[in-house]
Amino acid sequence: MPTKNTSIHGEWSSRLAFILAAAGSAVGLGNIWKFPYMAGDNGGGAFVLIYLICIVLLGLPIMMAEVMLGRRGRQSPINTMKTLCEQENTSHAWRLLGWGGVVAGVLILSYYSVIAGWSLSYVLESSSGTFKSITETQAGKLFADLIASPLTLIFWHTLFMVMTIFVVARGVSNGLETAVKYLMPSLAVLILVLIGYSLSQGSFMLGVEFMFTPDFSKINEQVLLDAMGQAFFSLSLGMGAIMIYGSYLSQHASIARTSFAVAFADTSIAILAGLAIFPIVFAYQLEAGQGPGLIFNTLPLAFGQMPGGVFFGTLFFVLLVFAAWTSSISLIEPAVAWLVERRGLTRTKASVVCGVFTWLVGLGTVFSFNIWQSYTLFGKTVFDMLDFLTSNIMLPLGGLFIAIFVGWSMRESSVKDEIAIQNPTLYSLWRVLVRYVTPVAVFIIFLHVIGLI
Ligand code: PFF
């Protein structure tokens, strides 16, 4: 049996630290910005139902597999895969999995940072009282003006990238653990405050109905692909982020329990965000399927009306920025760790190199909302393309390969030793999911989308 690998980047101080960091990665713009608009675009209930099924049947098993791979290899995803291929005597082509993850991480962060920039700008708007008694039209104009200005977007995008590089350069666990420990619960409380407001508006049940009454006739390839992509995106799966966090996880922690806790926290926050937002959408007769601007057009109306709105609004957008921040760190970490291991760069240099490159790619997204708005391919702007390619294709493909590697390529003895699920029934269930259910489901959805079935 191969000897255990150790990490040169350090280890989490406890299992809770890992849960917090992984939850920090998972909970982000994906839950609060993206989940509601994806649900809105895809007709609500049917999307939510498929999303939840994807979380349980695909997300959770793959998360366990990904954490397990990280802890077994204890390096950046690229080198983890390289080491495991050697130890398991399998084809070196599996290293591509690590590479795919690095590329996906940089591409996602390039647009993620632009959206986090919108949130930063809304911190300023909220604290300066712009939302007070704002009307639907004014809220719409505020957002439209923001995205119409390349310079403003570049300013906020730059600020967010600098914040990300700053933390990544200092090492992942410094500060991150404490930050997440207080910020995540505060974010949850703030969403509850918003739900409280929504409850008082009389359209709450319309929101609940929209989210939880599935209209099965609405299920088509698009809904399937979007829901699967959103499950991977929201849980940070399929690109090595969770793998690299797993590589810092202590040998004694239970992978199953830890993964469950992270998936549960992530899903709860997304559902709560939906419950906060849709009632407001219906109360003001806004369009649920209006795309990426949804929360920015909706929430100012709520904060503008509620007592203490300036305070709550500012706090909400501050916390949203923090949630995005803890996710962005994990998006760039695989690339940074690889540069440190492979090129011998210091963490600071590696972070700056990756950060500057990602920032440049992000300009494509900035312009896609204004001067390049009319440049489209298959009807998609640069931002739409990046989002579609990463969430709907690269992450599920990464997950598919992780499942095949763990389920079919690794020796079962290694898998069993590392995943260390004590309960035999639970282990068999996980194994069946990873070997059969997950790969087949992802594969079928892909085939469906390209029109082969
Ligand atoms: N899970 C994050 C969110 O929901 O905002 C986004 C993300 C982070 C996706 C890290 C992928 C990733 F590897």
Side-chain angles (χ1 to χ4, degrees), residues 24-31 105 108 112 230 232-237 239-242 266 323-324 327-328 330-331 395:
S25 165
V27 176
L29 294 171
N31 306 62
I108 295 176
Y112 203 82
Q230 176 62 14
F232 279 94
F233 184 86
S234 194
L235 292 177
S236 305
L237 294 179
M239 59 138 282
I242 288 294
D266 186 70
S327 301
S328 63
S330 71
L331 280 164
L395 299 186

Side-chain angles (χ1 to χ4, degrees), residues 209-262:
E209 235 167 74
F210 180 72
M211 280 182 68
F212 297 113
T213 320
D215 173 355
F216 291 102
S217 69
K218 291 231 168 84
I219 300 179
N220 55 23
E221 301 77 65
Q222 191 58 42
V223 176
L224 283 176
L225 190 65
D226 278 354
M228 173 173 75
Q230 176 62 14
F232 279 94
F233 184 86
S234 194
L235 292 177
S236 305
L237 294 179
M239 59 138 282
I242 288 294
M243 195 188 293
I244 197 149
Y245 278 6
S247 77
Y248 310 143
L249 181 65
S250 114
Q251 208 56 48
H252 314 291
S254 152
I255 292 181
R257 268 192 290 159
T258 326
S259 305
F260 185 81
V262 174

